[in-house]
Amino acid sequence: MNPSFTTRPEIRGTYGVVSSTHWLASQVAMSVLERGGNAYDAAVAGGFVLQIVEPHLNGPGGEVPILIWSEREKRMRALCGQGPAPALATPAYFRELGVDLVPGIGLLPATVPGAFGAWLTLLRDYGTWELADVLRPAIDYARDGFPLVPRISQAILAVQALFRDEWKSSGEVWLPGGRVPAPDALFRTPAIAATYTRILDEAHAASTDRRGRIDAALDVWYRGFVADAIDSFYTNEAALDTTGQRNRGLLRKSDLADWRATYDEPLTTQYGRYTVAKCGVWSQGPVHLQQLALLRHLDVDKLDPLSPQFVHRVAEAAKLAFADRTAWYGDPDHAQVPLAALLSDDYARARAACIGERASAALQPGSPEGLSPRLPDLDAAIRTLAASDTRYGVGEPTFAALPPVDEWASRELFVGDTCQIDVIDRDGNMVAATPSGGWLSSSPVVPALGFSLTTRLQMTWLDDGVPGQLQPGKRPCTTLSPGLALRDGQPYMAFGTPGGDQQDQWTVAFFLRHAMGMNLQAAIDAPSWHIDHFPGSFWPRALTLNRLTVESRMPAATLDALRAAGHDVKVGPDWSEGRISACTREPAAGGRLLLRAAANPRGMQGYAVGR
């Protein structure tokens, strides 16, 4: 493949740039920049639009981690919008249900929905616009209609029986007239519009200034009528889940009332002239940094990015980093994580020495500081699947095989993703955010609110003594992983992708390709891959080893050489690996900034805009 090939131009400008996983969110965010808003205002407006137009991938009841560069403060910050486990959620409770894993759908796996809190905290502390103005596009799309991308229709089709027979509050929203909506039709979610409108009305009644109105809206969500509706539904209703039983939820108003979105310092590592930043070890972000630390010692920058040697070394580094994720990662407020050792250069050099010419077929966590790794019960998935109801899908967000209903229905297994939005404004402020959770198939719609809640608790373990064990008030170690990068010490790039366990694989390959000289769009478009060599983060946490899934556009000689090196190579469709969005900034003449943006062409949905 020609490394200069691109499916579309790399966007360039000086006024502002946006890239996201949906063209409507990109354009809404750009419209905010055009009307004088900053990057934070734009990201919040785009983030709320993503909740409406990508409901199969995220929703108002989800979560979002956010990374920012503040030009005023000259620093990066991480904002945690990942809510914790409810007070009632304990390993003992789930063991009494007779399960080895937290279910993947239903009411049981809910955590505190953190997206609303994180977006409003960002708007309050760094934005300039009123909450009513940034929410207006989302409210308008929910009330007046938005075009359904085909995958939304496919998602509803896959779970229509569940909605009709069991989750009837979801059926009322997603099966209007009892029918699966057709692709490209305008679709309305007026109950969400009404919820957001009521929040604004109550917030305006409570305060006469911008910051006070935002704080009042937070209070309405986490301690007012939104929390009341969630408490009532999760306390009194029972919903079918993958246990095959109907279970009530554990989330209560007190869990929401006690939570706040919080800032912390991003974690960083150096790779050549770049300083790459990720969220803390409450996310999987450090696996990106661990991979780059290993790859510093493997000379990948001297290799052709389509060569078997390049793919092999990157894939093997991912195996080691993700093995460490399984053994060592957890909420640092509740678990002892040897993070400094995991990110140290000495540890990276020793781990890199484990990589040879053959593919590893073993899960090999390391021993930072000489500690012995503790793995969860990796056979739990086998027992769980044998006793579970998987008719309506598994994981985040995965749907059952689709029936042959009409010309737009496919028999293939449909796997959803998450969302991404990146923004840089003309002053150089930067935002990278990865919203997810609360997708339409995750849990029953809360009738009084019109949306579902996150099921992120499925990413915890019940095993004693492991860092990722379920614990009340503890955050699950989310896969959501936005990124920022400095170049030569100066703020440079905001980037990220949907994809669950693939996020910090696709973005590593993308980053390396860009650092080697490809422009943003070419680095996104290039043939990519991912490994499966760890227990999955989502129910049923199945363990796969030594699987390397590669786009069929990869040169045949590369595929043959990878097989010869011992990789279990699975060839995927031409355009199937990656959902990356990215924006950059760099100094230009006259003291201005040259801004660039690019977006994923796969799925024909992501778009970059700017001028």
Side-chain angles (χ1 to χ4, degrees):
M1 175 181 172
N2 182 347
S4 64
F5 167 81
T6 61
T7 57
R8 56 183 77 173
E10 180 187 67
I11 301 298
R12 299 170 191 173
T14 58
Y15 194 88
V17 287
V18 180
S19 181
S20 87
T21 49
H22 198 290
W23 68 89
L24 289 177
S26 295
Q27 190 54 45
V28 163
M30 189 67 208
S31 76
V32 173
L33 297 180
E34 295 279 9
R35 290 178 286 159
N38 63 22
Y40 315 110
D41 301 318
V44 175
F48 278 117
V49 167
L50 285 171
Q51 295 175 359
I52 305 304
V53 302
E54 292 196 296
H56 56 315
L57 307 179
N58 81 139
E63 53 268 314
V64 59
I66 304 170
L67 287 172
I68 68 167
W69 167 267
S70 167
E71 189 66 14
R72 181 185 74 244
E73 299 173 345
K74 301 297 183 186
R75 66 165 171 168
M76 297 183 288
R77 299 188 82 182
L79 180 56
C80 179
Q82 174 57 64
L88 295 175
T90 64
Y93 182 89
F94 285 96
R95 291 186 189 117
E96 288 172 5
L97 291 179
V99 299
D100 293 313
L101 296 169
V102 177
I105 62 172
L107 301 178
L108 285 172
T111 60
V112 172
F116 189 83
W119 285 127
L120 265 64
T121 298
L122 179 65
L123 181 68
R124 181 193 65 199
D125 297 344
Y126 288 93
T128 63
W129 275 30
E130 287 281 352
L131 176 59
D133 294 328
V134 298
L135 265 175
R136 178 52 52 196
I139 291 173
D140 288 346
Y141 280 124
R143 183 192 61 224
D144 301 329
F146 61 94
L148 289 176
V149 297
R151 286 196 170 188
I152 299 175
S153 298
Q154 288 178 310
I156 299 168
L157 176 68
V159 292
Q160 61 176 319
L162 177 66
F163 287 1
R164 286 196 178 100
D165 299 339
E166 295 287 344
W167 296 5
K168 296 187 178 181
S169 60
S170 294
E172 291 175 2
V173 173
W174 301 111
L175 296 172
R179 295 186 299 273
V180 176
D184 300 321
L186 286 181
F187 193 85
R188 300 171 59 248
T189 50
I192 297 177
T195 294
Y196 278 142
T197 299
R198 181 177 171 185
I199 290 171
L200 290 176
D201 290 343
E202 294 194 13
H204 276 260
S207 180
T208 58
D209 65 89
R210 173 185 173 276
R211 186 180 184 92
R213 284 188 282 270
I214 294 172
D215 283 335
L218 287 166
D219 196 62
V220 171
W221 184 282
Y222 290 101
R223 290 162 287 281
F225 83 87
V226 175
D228 288 334
I230 291 170
D231 185 288
S232 177
F233 189 70
Y234 273 67
T235 300
N236 299 312
E237 300 297 323
L240 182 69
D241 56 42
T242 45
T243 66
Q245 305 297 317
R246 296 177 183 87
N247 289 295
R248 287 183 169 83
L250 304 175
L251 191 63
R252 298 292 183 266
K253 183 178 182 179
S254 56
D255 299 310
L256 280 77
D258 291 340
W259 183 80
R260 306 289 188 280
T262 55
Y263 293 100
D264 58 25
E265 294 300 311
L267 301 175
T268 63
T269 199
Q270 199 71 24
Y271 187 87
R273 60 191 296 206
Y274 297 92
T275 304
V276 181
K278 285 284 180 173
C279 294
V281 76
W282 49 266
S283 78
Q284 75 171 11
V287 300
H288 187 111
L289 307 181
Q290 284 195 251
Q291 289 170 82
L292 292 182
L294 268 70
L295 293 166
R296 287 197 301 255
H297 300 286
L298 295 173
D299 294 326
V300 293
D301 56 327
K302 299 175 183 178
L303 300 172
D304 179 343
L306 299 184
S307 68
Q309 295 86 358
F310 181 88
V311 178
H312 171 77
R313 293 179 195 182
V314 174
E316 293 301 299
K319 289 178 180 179
L320 294 175
F322 276 85
D324 280 345
R325 183 192 71 165
T326 302
W328 297 110
Y329 286 22
D331 182 345
D333 293 340
H334 295 265
Q336 295 295 319
V337 181
L339 190 57
L342 288 168
L343 296 179
S344 71
D345 193 58
D346 287 344
Y347 183 73
R349 185 181 293 107
R351 294 288 272 164
C354 299
I355 296 175
E357 298 301 316
R358 300 287 300 172
S360 172
L363 186 68
Q364 296 177 291
S367 299
E369 300 177 346
L371 301 171
S372 297
R374 177 77 181 270
L375 293 172
D377 179 1
L378 300 181
D379 292 327
I382 298 172
R383 298 191 301 273
T384 295
L385 280 173
S388 297
D389 183 347
T390 60
R391 289 175 294 165
Y392 307 113
V394 298
E396 183 231 14
T398 306
F399 299 98
L402 300 176
V405 174
D406 55 28
E407 68 276 5
W408 53 268
S410 165
R411 288 179 178 270
E412 296 180 359
L413 186 72
F414 169 72
V415 181
D417 283 315
T418 289
C419 306
Q420 179 69 29
I421 186 167
D422 305 294
V423 185
I424 305 179
D425 64 28
R426 61 182 173 179
D427 295 321
N429 298 301
M430 304 166 64
V431 180
T434 312
S436 189
W439 47 83
L440 64 87
S441 62
S442 61
S443 60
V445 163
V446 180
L449 303 176
F451 56 80
S452 305
L453 296 192
T454 173
T455 51
R456 193 65 54 172
L457 206 64
Q458 66 183 288
M459 299 180 65
T460 61
W461 297 98
L462 302 182
D463 307 68
D464 292 333
V466 299
Q469 184 185 30
L470 169 65
Q471 182 179 334
K474 183 178 180 180
R475 293 168 290 186
C477 186
T478 180
T479 51
L480 306 175
S481 186
L484 290 181
L486 310 182
R487 189 171 69 178
D488 301 327
Q490 299 301 309
Y492 177 65
M493 181 162 62
F495 65 98
T497 181
D501 290 318
Q502 286 75 54
Q503 289 183 33
D504 285 302
Q505 300 185 57
W506 291 334
T507 55
V508 167
F510 154 78
F511 172 81
L512 293 171
R513 291 190 292 257
H514 181 57
M516 294 166 69
M518 288 189 183
N519 75 30
L520 291 178
Q521 194 63 54
I524 289 171
D525 288 351
S528 197
W529 66 88
H530 77 271
I531 65 157
D532 290 297
H533 190 82
F534 42 77
S537 291
F538 303 95
W539 189 95
R541 316 301 303 270
L543 174 64
T544 302
L545 294 174
N546 197 31
R547 173 68 56 79
L548 178 64
T549 302
V550 186
E551 286 182 334
S552 60
R553 294 181 295 126
M554 190 68 74
T558 295
L559 298 176
D560 290 343
L562 290 168
R563 292 187 182 99
H567 293 278
D568 177 12
V569 175
K570 176 182 177 182
V571 179
D574 282 0
W575 296 89
S576 55
E577 293 288 323
R579 309 286 185 270
I580 295 164
S581 301
C583 300
T584 62
R585 50 163 281 189
E586 56 191 290
R592 304 183 76 181
L593 293 172
L594 175 62
L595 308 177
R596 305 175 191 261
N600 166 56
R602 299 162 177 88
M604 296 182 291
Q605 188 172 312
Y607 253 86
V609 295
R611 74 165 177 89

